[in-house]
PDB file of all heavy atoms in Angstrom:
ATOM      1  N   ARG M  80     -35.826   5.267  54.086  1.00 97.00           N
ATOM      2  CA  ARG M  80     -36.559   4.256  53.302  1.00 97.00           C
ATOM      3  C   ARG M  80     -36.629   4.734  51.797  1.00 97.00           C
ATOM      4  O   ARG M  80     -36.781   5.876  51.533  1.00 97.00           O
ATOM      5  CB  ARG M  80     -37.888   3.963  53.838  1.00 97.00           C
ATOM      6  CG  ARG M  80     -39.012   4.958  53.765  1.00 97.00           C
ATOM      7  CD  ARG M  80     -40.385   4.487  54.225  1.00 97.00           C
ATOM      8  NE  ARG M  80     -40.819   3.368  53.399  1.00 97.00           N
ATOM      9  CZ  ARG M  80     -41.004   2.170  53.849  1.00 97.00           C
ATOM     10  NH1 ARG M  80     -40.902   1.951  55.126  1.00 97.00           N
ATOM     11  NH2 ARG M  80     -41.460   1.151  52.972  1.00 97.00           N
ATOM     12  N   SER M  81     -36.625   3.771  50.872  1.00 97.00           N
ATOM     13  CA  SER M  81     -36.839   3.964  49.620  1.00 97.00           C
ATOM     14  C   SER M  81     -38.292   4.325  49.223  1.00 97.00           C
ATOM     15  O   SER M  81     -39.199   3.454  49.603  1.00 97.00           O
ATOM     16  CB  SER M  81     -36.332   2.821  48.681  1.00 97.00           C
ATOM     17  OG  SER M  81     -36.541   3.052  47.211  1.00 97.00           O
ATOM     18  N   LEU M  82     -38.569   5.331  48.512  1.00 97.00           N
ATOM     19  CA  LEU M  82     -40.058   5.586  48.143  1.00 97.00           C
ATOM     20  C   LEU M  82     -40.000   6.343  46.734  1.00 97.00           C
ATOM     21  O   LEU M  82     -39.467   7.539  46.659  1.00 97.00           O
ATOM     22  CB  LEU M  82     -40.729   6.393  49.120  1.00 97.00           C
ATOM     23  CG  LEU M  82     -42.190   6.422  49.028  1.00 97.00           C
ATOM     24  CD1 LEU M  82     -42.881   6.760  50.302  1.00 97.00           C
ATOM     25  CD2 LEU M  82     -42.676   7.510  48.044  1.00 97.00           C
ATOM     26  N   ASP M  83     -40.587   5.761  45.753  1.00 97.00           N
ATOM     27  CA  ASP M  83     -40.836   6.324  44.477  1.00 97.00           C
ATOM     28  C   ASP M  83     -42.216   6.882  44.442  1.00 97.00           C
ATOM     29  O   ASP M  83     -43.266   6.175  44.505  1.00 97.00           O
ATOM     30  CB  ASP M  83     -40.610   5.304  43.473  1.00 97.00           C
ATOM     31  CG  ASP M  83     -40.776   5.960  41.974  1.00 97.00           C
ATOM     32  OD1 ASP M  83     -41.191   7.021  41.868  1.00 97.00           O
ATOM     33  OD2 ASP M  83     -40.704   5.159  41.071  1.00 97.00           O
ATOM     34  N   VAL M  84     -42.434   8.199  44.348  1.00 96.00           N
ATOM     35  CA  VAL M  84     -43.784   8.782  44.436  1.00 96.00           C
ATOM     36  C   VAL M  84     -44.627   8.478  43.238  1.00 96.00           C
ATOM     37  O   VAL M  84     -45.849   8.640  43.084  1.00 96.00           O
ATOM     38  CB  VAL M  84     -43.819  10.267  44.657  1.00 96.00           C
ATOM     39  CG1 VAL M  84     -43.152  10.617  46.025  1.00 96.00           C
ATOM     40  CG2 VAL M  84     -43.023  11.058  43.476  1.00 96.00           C
ATOM     41  N   GLY M  85     -43.928   7.902  42.131  1.00 95.00           N
ATOM     42  CA  GLY M  85     -44.701   7.570  41.008  1.00 95.00           C
ATOM     43  C   GLY M  85     -45.204   6.077  41.073  1.00 95.00           C
ATOM     44  O   GLY M  85     -45.816   5.652  40.196  1.00 95.00           O
ATOM     45  N   SER M  86     -44.905   5.379  42.230  1.00 96.00           N
ATOM     46  CA  SER M  86     -45.303   4.073  42.406  1.00 96.00           C
ATOM     47  C   SER M  86     -46.445   3.859  43.441  1.00 96.00           C
ATOM     48  O   SER M  86     -46.165   4.265  44.623  1.00 96.00           O
ATOM     49  CB  SER M  86     -44.251   3.127  42.813  1.00 96.00           C
ATOM     50  OG  SER M  86     -44.636   1.845  43.283  1.00 96.00           O
ATOM     51  N   ALA M  87     -47.677   3.485  43.122  1.00 97.00           N
ATOM     52  CA  ALA M  87     -48.755   3.434  44.026  1.00 97.00           C
ATOM     53  C   ALA M  87     -48.380   2.349  45.033  1.00 97.00           C
ATOM     54  O   ALA M  87     -48.747   2.512  46.321  1.00 97.00           O
ATOM     55  CB  ALA M  87     -49.986   3.059  43.390  1.00 97.00           C
ATOM     56  N   GLU M  88     -47.733   1.326  44.651  1.00 97.00           N
ATOM     57  CA  GLU M  88     -47.287   0.144  45.535  1.00 97.00           C
ATOM     58  C   GLU M  88     -46.343   0.726  46.494  1.00 97.00           C
ATOM     59  O   GLU M  88     -46.362   0.360  47.843  1.00 97.00           O
ATOM     60  CB  GLU M  88     -46.692  -0.855  44.743  1.00 97.00           C
ATOM     61  CG  GLU M  88     -47.688  -1.672  43.986  1.00 97.00           C
ATOM     62  CD  GLU M  88     -47.977  -0.844  42.584  1.00 97.00           C
ATOM     63  OE1 GLU M  88     -47.242  -0.043  42.285  1.00 97.00           O
ATOM     64  OE2 GLU M  88     -48.942  -1.215  41.915  1.00 97.00           O
ATOM     65  N   ASP M  89     -45.430   1.486  46.213  1.00 97.00           N
ATOM     66  CA  ASP M  89     -44.336   2.109  47.122  1.00 97.00           C
ATOM     67  C   ASP M  89     -45.032   2.880  48.222  1.00 97.00           C
ATOM     68  O   ASP M  89     -44.766   2.875  49.352  1.00 97.00           O
ATOM     69  CB  ASP M  89     -43.335   2.845  46.279  1.00 97.00           C
ATOM     70  CG  ASP M  89     -42.136   2.205  45.990  1.00 97.00           C
ATOM     71  OD1 ASP M  89     -42.153   0.896  46.188  1.00 97.00           O
ATOM     72  OD2 ASP M  89     -41.147   2.798  45.629  1.00 97.00           O
ATOM     73  N   ILE M  90     -45.994   3.705  47.667  1.00 98.00           N
ATOM     74  CA  ILE M  90     -46.650   4.634  48.646  1.00 98.00           C
ATOM     75  C   ILE M  90     -47.439   3.833  49.640  1.00 98.00           C
ATOM     76  O   ILE M  90     -47.531   4.120  50.855  1.00 98.00           O
ATOM     77  CB  ILE M  90     -47.462   5.677  47.900  1.00 98.00           C
ATOM     78  CG1 ILE M  90     -46.587   6.602  47.189  1.00 98.00           C
ATOM     79  CG2 ILE M  90     -48.493   6.385  48.790  1.00 98.00           C
ATOM     80  CD1 ILE M  90     -47.287   7.528  46.213  1.00 98.00           C
ATOM     81  N   ALA M  91     -48.193   2.788  49.219  1.00 97.00           N
ATOM     82  CA  ALA M  91     -49.071   2.106  50.101  1.00 97.00           C
ATOM     83  C   ALA M  91     -48.168   1.270  51.172  1.00 97.00           C
ATOM     84  O   ALA M  91     -48.553   1.136  52.205  1.00 97.00           O
ATOM     85  CB  ALA M  91     -49.894   0.993  49.236  1.00 97.00           C
ATOM     86  N   ARG M  92     -47.056   0.791  50.568  1.00 97.00           N
ATOM     87  CA  ARG M  92     -46.153   0.117  51.555  1.00 97.00           C
ATOM     88  C   ARG M  92     -45.597   1.041  52.548  1.00 97.00           C
ATOM     89  O   ARG M  92     -45.606   0.604  53.878  1.00 97.00           O
ATOM     90  CB  ARG M  92     -44.964  -0.568  50.812  1.00 97.00           C
ATOM     91  CG  ARG M  92     -45.352  -1.917  50.061  1.00 97.00           C
ATOM     92  CD  ARG M  92     -44.176  -2.554  49.714  1.00 97.00           C
ATOM     93  NE  ARG M  92     -43.432  -1.987  48.658  1.00 97.00           N
ATOM     94  CZ  ARG M  92     -43.667  -2.181  47.317  1.00 97.00           C
ATOM     95  NH1 ARG M  92     -44.494  -3.046  47.009  1.00 97.00           N
ATOM     96  NH2 ARG M  92     -42.882  -1.455  46.471  1.00 97.00           N
ATOM     97  N   ALA M  93     -45.259   2.210  52.120  1.00 98.00           N
ATOM     98  CA  ALA M  93     -44.603   3.252  53.132  1.00 98.00           C
ATOM     99  C   ALA M  93     -45.762   3.606  54.215  1.00 98.00           C
ATOM    100  O   ALA M  93     -45.424   3.646  55.232  1.00 98.00           O
ATOM    101  CB  ALA M  93     -44.130   4.469  52.395  1.00 98.00           C
ATOM    102  N   ALA M  94     -46.918   3.884  53.722  1.00 98.00           N
ATOM    103  CA  ALA M  94     -47.987   4.290  54.677  1.00 98.00           C
ATOM    104  C   ALA M  94     -48.244   3.155  55.597  1.00 98.00           C
ATOM    105  O   ALA M  94     -48.611   3.395  56.940  1.00 98.00           O
ATOM    106  CB  ALA M  94     -49.297   4.606  53.903  1.00 98.00           C
ATOM    107  N   GLU M  95     -48.223   1.957  55.284  1.00 97.00           N
ATOM    108  CA  GLU M  95     -48.636   0.783  56.148  1.00 97.00           C
ATOM    109  C   GLU M  95     -47.366   0.594  57.130  1.00 97.00           C
ATOM    110  O   GLU M  95     -47.531   0.432  58.289  1.00 97.00           O
ATOM    111  CB  GLU M  95     -48.636  -0.517  55.344  1.00 97.00           C
ATOM    112  CG  GLU M  95     -49.019  -1.712  56.113  1.00 97.00           C
ATOM    113  CD  GLU M  95     -50.319  -1.560  56.915  1.00 97.00           C
ATOM    114  OE1 GLU M  95     -51.342  -0.825  56.284  1.00 97.00           O
ATOM    115  OE2 GLU M  95     -50.532  -2.183  57.887  1.00 97.00           O
ATOM    116  N   ALA M  96     -46.092   0.708  56.595  1.00 98.00           N
ATOM    117  CA  ALA M  96     -44.956   0.562  57.436  1.00 98.00           C
ATOM    118  C   ALA M  96     -44.760   1.620  58.599  1.00 98.00           C
ATOM    119  O   ALA M  96     -44.363   1.444  59.629  1.00 98.00           O
ATOM    120  CB  ALA M  96     -43.671   0.524  56.584  1.00 98.00           C
ATOM    121  N   GLU M  97     -45.261   2.810  58.248  1.00 98.00           N
ATOM    122  CA  GLU M  97     -45.079   4.072  59.032  1.00 98.00           C
ATOM    123  C   GLU M  97     -46.607   4.548  59.492  1.00 98.00           C
ATOM    124  O   GLU M  97     -46.864   5.621  59.461  1.00 98.00           O
ATOM    125  CB  GLU M  97     -44.382   5.215  58.424  1.00 98.00           C
ATOM    126  CG  GLU M  97     -43.159   4.882  57.674  1.00 98.00           C
ATOM    127  CD  GLU M  97     -42.097   4.272  58.656  1.00 98.00           C
ATOM    128  OE1 GLU M  97     -42.233   4.461  59.793  1.00 98.00           O
ATOM    129  OE2 GLU M  97     -41.196   3.731  58.106  1.00 98.00           O
ATOM    130  N   ALA M  98     -47.317   3.503  59.820  1.00 97.00           N
ATOM    131  CA  ALA M  98     -48.787   3.762  60.115  1.00 97.00           C
ATOM    132  C   ALA M  98     -48.940   4.555  61.338  1.00 97.00           C
ATOM    133  O   ALA M  98     -50.140   5.079  61.453  1.00 97.00           O
ATOM    134  CB  ALA M  98     -49.471   2.433  60.251  1.00 97.00           C
ATOM    135  N   GLY M 133     -48.810  11.737  42.617  1.00 97.00           N
ATOM    136  CA  GLY M 133     -48.006  11.230  43.841  1.00 97.00           C
ATOM    137  C   GLY M 133     -48.482  11.865  45.082  1.00 97.00           C
ATOM    138  O   GLY M 133     -48.550  11.230  46.132  1.00 97.00           O
ATOM    139  N   PHE M 135     -51.514  13.153  45.622  1.00 98.00           N
ATOM    140  CA  PHE M 135     -52.800  12.590  46.010  1.00 98.00           C
ATOM    141  C   PHE M 135     -52.763  11.222  46.671  1.00 98.00           C
ATOM    142  O   PHE M 135     -53.289  10.981  47.695  1.00 98.00           O
ATOM    143  CB  PHE M 135     -53.545  12.562  44.633  1.00 98.00           C
ATOM    144  CG  PHE M 135     -54.808  11.574  44.756  1.00 98.00           C
ATOM    145  CD1 PHE M 135     -55.923  11.882  45.489  1.00 98.00           C
ATOM    146  CD2 PHE M 135     -54.615  10.283  44.114  1.00 98.00           C
ATOM    147  CE1 PHE M 135     -56.947  10.952  45.619  1.00 98.00           C
ATOM    148  CE2 PHE M 135     -55.690   9.298  44.135  1.00 98.00           C
ATOM    149  CZ  PHE M 135     -56.836   9.786  44.937  1.00 98.00           C
ATOM    150  N   ARG M 136     -52.014  10.419  46.130  1.00 98.00           N
ATOM    151  CA  ARG M 136     -51.766   9.094  46.780  1.00 98.00           C
ATOM    152  C   ARG M 136     -51.224   9.183  48.065  1.00 98.00           C
ATOM    153  O   ARG M 136     -51.669   8.324  49.058  1.00 98.00           O
ATOM    154  CB  ARG M 136     -50.875   8.238  45.882  1.00 98.00           C
ATOM    155  CG  ARG M 136     -51.459   7.794  44.595  1.00 98.00           C
ATOM    156  CD  ARG M 136     -50.449   7.102  43.728  1.00 98.00           C
ATOM    157  NE  ARG M 136     -51.123   6.464  42.535  1.00 98.00           N
ATOM    158  CZ  ARG M 136     -50.384   6.211  41.459  1.00 98.00           C
ATOM    159  NH1 ARG M 136     -49.040   6.341  41.362  1.00 98.00           N
ATOM    160  NH2 ARG M 136     -50.991   5.611  40.424  1.00 98.00           N
ATOM    161  N   LEU M 137     -50.290  10.063  48.405  1.00 98.00           N
ATOM    162  CA  LEU M 137     -49.673  10.157  49.744  1.00 98.00           C
ATOM    163  C   LEU M 137     -50.774  10.622  50.794  1.00 98.00           C
ATOM    164  O   LEU M 137     -50.907  10.158  51.903  1.00 98.00           O
ATOM    165  CB  LEU M 137     -48.465  11.000  49.702  1.00 98.00           C
ATOM    166  CG  LEU M 137     -47.213  10.407  48.989  1.00 98.00           C
ATOM    167  CD1 LEU M 137     -46.190  11.432  48.635  1.00 98.00           C
ATOM    168  CD2 LEU M 137     -46.588   9.493  50.091  1.00 98.00           C
ATOM    169  N   ILE M 138     -51.426  11.702  50.228  1.00 98.00           N
ATOM    170  CA  ILE M 138     -52.624  12.272  51.209  1.00 98.00           C
ATOM    171  C   ILE M 138     -53.540  11.100  51.494  1.00 98.00           C
ATOM    172  O   ILE M 138     -54.016  10.947  52.631  1.00 98.00           O
ATOM    173  CB  ILE M 138     -53.176  13.538  50.438  1.00 98.00           C
ATOM    174  CG1 ILE M 138     -52.322  14.723  50.435  1.00 98.00           C
ATOM    175  CG2 ILE M 138     -54.502  13.828  51.282  1.00 98.00           C
ATOM    176  CD1 ILE M 138     -52.812  15.872  49.596  1.00 98.00           C
ATOM    177  N   ARG M 139     -53.930  10.518  50.424  1.00 98.00           N
ATOM    178  CA  ARG M 139     -54.975   9.398  50.686  1.00 98.00           C
ATOM    179  C   ARG M 139     -54.592   8.380  51.653  1.00 98.00           C
ATOM    180  O   ARG M 139     -55.242   8.019  52.561  1.00 98.00           O
ATOM    181  CB  ARG M 139     -55.367   8.814  49.274  1.00 98.00           C
ATOM    182  CG  ARG M 139     -56.430   7.686  49.397  1.00 98.00           C
ATOM    183  CD  ARG M 139     -56.603   6.948  47.997  1.00 98.00           C
ATOM    184  NE  ARG M 139     -55.492   6.373  47.527  1.00 98.00           N
ATOM    185  CZ  ARG M 139     -55.334   5.882  46.277  1.00 98.00           C
ATOM    186  NH1 ARG M 139     -56.257   6.037  45.379  1.00 98.00           N
ATOM    187  NH2 ARG M 139     -54.262   5.245  45.970  1.00 98.00           N
ATOM    188  N   GLU M 140     -53.340   7.718  51.341  1.00 98.00           N
ATOM    189  CA  GLU M 140     -52.896   6.601  52.180  1.00 98.00           C
ATOM    190  C   GLU M 140     -52.606   7.093  53.669  1.00 98.00           C
ATOM    191  O   GLU M 140     -52.945   6.372  54.552  1.00 98.00           O
ATOM    192  CB  GLU M 140     -51.704   6.022  51.536  1.00 98.00           C
ATOM    193  CG  GLU M 140     -51.900   5.412  50.174  1.00 98.00           C
ATOM    194  CD  GLU M 140     -52.976   4.395  50.224  1.00 98.00           C
ATOM    195  OE1 GLU M 140     -53.077   3.493  51.225  1.00 98.00           O
ATOM    196  OE2 GLU M 140     -53.722   4.264  49.098  1.00 98.00           O
ATOM    197  N   PHE M 141     -51.850   8.070  53.795  1.00 98.00           N
ATOM    198  CA  PHE M 141     -51.395   8.487  55.033  1.00 98.00           C
ATOM    199  C   PHE M 141     -52.561   9.144  55.843  1.00 98.00           C
ATOM    200  O   PHE M 141     -52.813   9.089  57.096  1.00 98.00           O
ATOM    201  CB  PHE M 141     -50.144   9.505  55.097  1.00 98.00           C
ATOM    202  CG  PHE M 141     -48.862   8.713  55.004  1.00 98.00           C
ATOM    203  CD1 PHE M 141     -48.401   8.437  53.706  1.00 98.00           C
ATOM    204  CD2 PHE M 141     -48.117   8.496  56.070  1.00 98.00           C
ATOM    205  CE1 PHE M 141     -47.199   7.848  53.601  1.00 98.00           C
ATOM    206  CE2 PHE M 141     -46.875   7.833  55.942  1.00 98.00           C
ATOM    207  CZ  PHE M 141     -46.531   7.495  54.668  1.00 98.00           C
ATOM    208  N   ARG M 144     -55.243   6.824  57.418  1.00 98.00           N
ATOM    209  CA  ARG M 144     -54.665   6.343  58.712  1.00 98.00           C
ATOM    210  C   ARG M 144     -54.789   7.291  59.807  1.00 98.00           C
ATOM    211  O   ARG M 144     -54.973   6.905  60.923  1.00 98.00           O
ATOM    212  CB  ARG M 144     -53.243   5.600  58.451  1.00 98.00           C
ATOM    213  CG  ARG M 144     -53.302   4.394  57.563  1.00 98.00           C
ATOM    214  CD  ARG M 144     -51.916   3.987  57.088  1.00 98.00           C
ATOM    215  NE  ARG M 144     -51.908   2.685  56.354  1.00 98.00           N
ATOM    216  CZ  ARG M 144     -52.298   2.387  55.183  1.00 98.00           C
ATOM    217  NH1 ARG M 144     -52.788   3.553  54.445  1.00 98.00           N
ATOM    218  NH2 ARG M 144     -52.331   1.296  54.558  1.00 98.00           N
TER     219      ARG M 144
END
Side-chain angles (χ1 to χ4, degrees):
R80 67 172 300 120
S81 175
L82 194 156
D83 179 358
V84 297
S86 166
E88 292 77 15
D89 263 16
I90 290 172
R92 280 194 294 267
E95 185 61 30
E97 311 299 344
F135 159 69
R136 288 170 172 163
L137 285 160
I138 291 174
R139 180 184 63 191
E140 297 298 329
F141 280 86
R144 289 166 173 80

